[in-house]
């Protein structure tokens, strides 16, 4: 029996709640099962992971594959579970070293060509990683977003093939750099001038950094 663990997050509003993706390979009839109160998008991750690994020339072992999303009583939704599920499976198969994954959390959706697509919640996840002394593996398009959290290490990968090479030490990915402010950028009122309202200001900062839509009203 082989077991690997990868950290990811479940989004509850603007909070990132840690979730452990546990992947177990054991003897038995070949099957790929996902448990842990996963919604349809998460359950479909197994088909995306299977297709991407096949495209990379990696066949799933003829064993019983069980993916448990812990804690099991926390609802899981979203396509960002694709990447941690794939990394956990690769570690259980011995393709990438499991001890390297212990220092990272991961979020990202897998396209069928192996590219890693942007997902919601990278900034809250990066903030949560900073609190836990973890790095974050995220889509290349969101590496700048992860940098805004000021965390120690972010790995922004364009596709799963590049990520495998990175963890195998064959071709290390360059760390993303924070975006430089635009010259002549118009300046307006600053949130630092607002006293109190910490929850509202944090929601505005997260929406701005992640380029998410937000409607705020007050009376």
């Amino acid at each position: 029996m082989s077991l690997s663990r990868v950290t990811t997050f479940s989004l509850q509003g603007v909070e990132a709640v840690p979730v452990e993706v546990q992947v177990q390979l054991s003897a038995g009839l070949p099957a790929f099962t996902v448990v842990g109160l996963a919604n349809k998008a998460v359950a479909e991750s197994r088909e995306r992971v299977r297709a991407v690994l096949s495209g990379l020339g990696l066949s799933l072992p003829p064993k019983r594959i069980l993916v448990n999303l812990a804690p099991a009583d926390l609802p899981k939704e979203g396509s960002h579970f694709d990447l941690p599920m794939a990394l956990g499976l690769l570690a259980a198969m011995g393709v990438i070293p499991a001890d390297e994954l212990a220092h990272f959390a991961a979020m990202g959706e897998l396209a069928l060509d192996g590219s890693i697509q942007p997902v919601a919640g990278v900034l809250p996840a990066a903030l949560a990683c900073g609190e836990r002394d973890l790095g974050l593996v995220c889509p290349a398009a969101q590496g700048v977003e992860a940098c805004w959290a000021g965390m120690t290490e972010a790995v922004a990968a364009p596709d799963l093939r590049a990520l495998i090479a990175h963890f195998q030490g064959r071709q290390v990915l360059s760390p993303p750099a924070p975006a430089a402010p635009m010259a002549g950028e118009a300046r307006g009122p600053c949130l630092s001038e607002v006293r109190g309202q910490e929850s509202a200001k944090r929601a505005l900062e997260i929406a701005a950094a992640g380029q998410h839509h937000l409607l705020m009203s007050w009376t």
Side-chain angles (χ1 to χ4, degrees):
M1 184 180 69
S2 177
L3 178 66
S4 67
R5 295 178 172 87
V6 181
T7 301
T8 188
F9 297 94
S10 178
L11 301 176
Q12 306 292 319
V14 296
E15 298 296 328
V17 180
V19 171
E20 186 177 70
V21 180
Q22 304 166 351
V23 182
Q24 180 191 72
L25 302 182
S26 60
L29 293 176
F32 194 157
T33 307
V34 179
V35 298
L37 208 55
N39 75 345
K40 186 172 178 60
V42 182
E44 290 173 346
S45 291
R46 60 187 176 186
E47 300 303 328
R48 290 189 289 272
V49 170
R50 190 197 306 270
V52 170
L53 293 186
S54 177
L56 295 176
L58 298 172
S59 299
L60 293 182
K63 296 184 177 182
R64 184 173 183 266
I65 303 171
L66 177 62
V67 177
N68 179 44
L69 307 176
D73 60 348
L74 177 71
K76 323 294 190 310
E77 59 182 27
S79 58
H80 64 275
F81 288 91
D82 289 5
L83 186 57
M85 201 177 296
L87 291 175
L89 184 53
L90 289 168
M93 294 166 58
V95 177
I96 58 177
D99 56 342
E100 288 290 332
L101 290 180
H103 306 292
F104 289 92
M107 294 184 73
E109 177 183 336
L110 292 176
L112 296 185
D113 62 356
S115 60
I116 303 174
Q117 303 298 309
V119 292
V122 167
L123 181 57
L127 292 170
C129 284
E131 296 172 357
R132 293 164 175 80
D133 197 25
L134 292 173
L136 179 65
V137 180
C138 65
Q142 294 178 292
V144 173
E145 184 177 345
C147 287
W148 279 104
M151 48 183 302
T152 56
E153 185 175 3
V155 177
D159 52 52
L160 189 59
R161 186 186 299 275
L163 196 53
I164 292 173
H166 174 83
F167 280 116
Q168 290 179 340
R170 294 186 288 108
Q171 188 171 358
V172 178
L173 293 166
S174 300
M182 297 177 60
E185 184 177 0
R187 296 185 58 84
C190 181
L191 286 181
S192 63
E193 302 170 2
V194 180
R195 294 184 179 180
Q197 305 297 331
E198 298 301 326
S199 297
K201 289 194 290 185
R202 183 161 184 257
L204 289 170
E205 291 167 352
I206 291 174
Q211 299 182 3
H212 307 302
H213 298 293
L214 176 68
L215 174 62
M216 183 176 182
S217 62
W218 62 91
T219 57

